[in-house]
Amino acid sequence: LDHQQRQNARSIDLGLGRVQEVARRLGVLPLPCPVLLVAGTNGKGSTVAHLVAQARAAGLSTGCFTSPH
């Protein structure tokens, strides 16, 4: 745990730079399709439902993964 905590000087880092660097090192970028990430404390389920409905109304195919975590 100490090793992990020393890897980033900030206790809270709201950016996606570290995650992007991991994805780059794993060789999973660029993604093969557009992806939306919905994060936050409240309202994710309804936000995702609304985005899916809009995309499908525009004739787009969608996939959706949600997790309680």
Side-chain angles (χ1 to χ4, degrees):
L1 185 57
D2 288 335
H3 172 73
Q4 288 178 338
Q5 290 176 338
R6 285 192 306 268
Q7 300 307 305
N8 190 24
R10 297 180 184 157
S11 60
I12 297 176
D13 190 349
L14 299 177
L16 294 175
R18 292 186 302 156
V19 174
Q20 186 176 20
E21 178 63 17
V22 170
R24 186 192 66 75
R25 289 183 186 193
L26 290 172
V28 297
L29 292 180
L31 297 173
C33 60
V35 173
L36 295 175
L37 173 65
V38 179
T41 303
N42 295 313
K44 291 179 294 296
S46 56
T47 299
V48 169
H50 186 75
L51 291 169
V52 167
Q54 284 184 339
R56 290 182 179 168
L60 300 173
S61 297
T62 64
C64 180
F65 174 79
T66 59
S67 170
H69 306 291

